Amino acid sequence: MGSQKKRPVRLTAQDREELVRVTTTGVRGASMIMRARVLLALDISVGDVDSKEVIAARLGVSGETLRLVAKRFAETGGDVHATIARKRRDLPPVPSPVTGEVEARLIAMACSQPPQGYTRWSLRLLEKHVALVEDIPDLDHSTIGRVLKKRNCVLT
């Protein structure tokens, strides 16, 4: 019962109704339903709560899951929706090296005349020439192909 003492989950009647509705009606993700069930099981406003091991066995989750859901409930300030919903990432993990300016320069290069000795541009040839230009970051040939395909630019 360490997590119940450390981070007690106290739900209002309206929150309980909402969580029961989430677990019994509609189509929702399994993890969302599981977190709603955990919150209902950890709620101390309806009376005594079973031990962590009993709740974990009854719900089919680990004790760590119980701890994490209770922790997230406390961190969100008791917001039930923020606790059961999936967190959205603010930014992509790595910013894309392809910006609008890079796209424009790449398309202009692909539409220009190929170097002497070549009849047309290929993705690997564009990759080599992009590496020579200092303003454009080094791009892989597959990335160059995706940019050109996105803009319906055909290498002919």
Side-chain angles (χ1 to χ4, degrees):
M1 291 220 319
S3 68
Q4 287 93 359
K5 290 180 183 176
K6 195 175 191 181
R7 294 185 187 96
V9 175
R10 188 178 311 272
L11 300 173
T12 64
Q14 182 181 4
D15 287 342
R16 279 193 71 78
E17 288 175 20
E18 180 66 28
L19 290 175
V20 168
R21 197 173 318 121
V22 165
T23 59
T24 57
T25 61
V27 178
R28 293 179 178 82
S31 59
M32 179 183 270
I33 293 171
M34 179 268 308
R35 287 189 289 267
R37 287 183 177 153
V38 167
L39 282 178
L40 287 170
L42 292 176
D43 183 19
I44 61 172
S45 65
V46 293
D48 289 336
V49 178
D50 293 331
S51 70
K52 186 173 160 181
E53 294 80 21
V54 172
I55 294 173
R58 187 174 65 220
L59 296 178
V61 297
S62 66
E64 181 68 6
T65 300
L66 295 176
R67 186 187 72 78
L68 290 174
V69 171
K71 178 182 174 188
R72 184 151 178 215
F73 182 77
E75 288 174 350
T76 59
D79 185 7
V80 174
H81 295 291
T83 303
I84 65 172
R86 182 175 178 208
K87 281 195 275 187
R88 293 290 174 197
R89 183 177 282 185
D90 292 335
L91 297 172
V94 177
S96 176
V98 180
T99 61
E101 181 182 338
V102 171
E103 272 188 35
R105 302 268 317 269
L106 189 59
I107 290 171
M109 187 181 291
C111 292
S112 68
Q113 288 293 320
Q116 186 139 8
Y118 295 93
T119 57
R120 64 184 183 92
W121 285 104
S122 68
L123 292 179
R124 302 227 185 235
L125 185 60
L126 277 171
E127 178 183 15
K128 289 177 185 174
H129 279 271
V130 164
L132 297 175
V133 178
E134 293 179 15
D135 298 351
I136 302 176
D138 290 344
L139 300 174
D140 187 51
H141 65 277
S142 60
T143 305
I144 293 170
R146 271 194 306 274
V147 168
L148 295 177
K149 182 177 182 179
K150 181 174 139 185
R151 298 293 174 206
N152 293 328
C153 184
V154 181
L155 297 175
T156 55

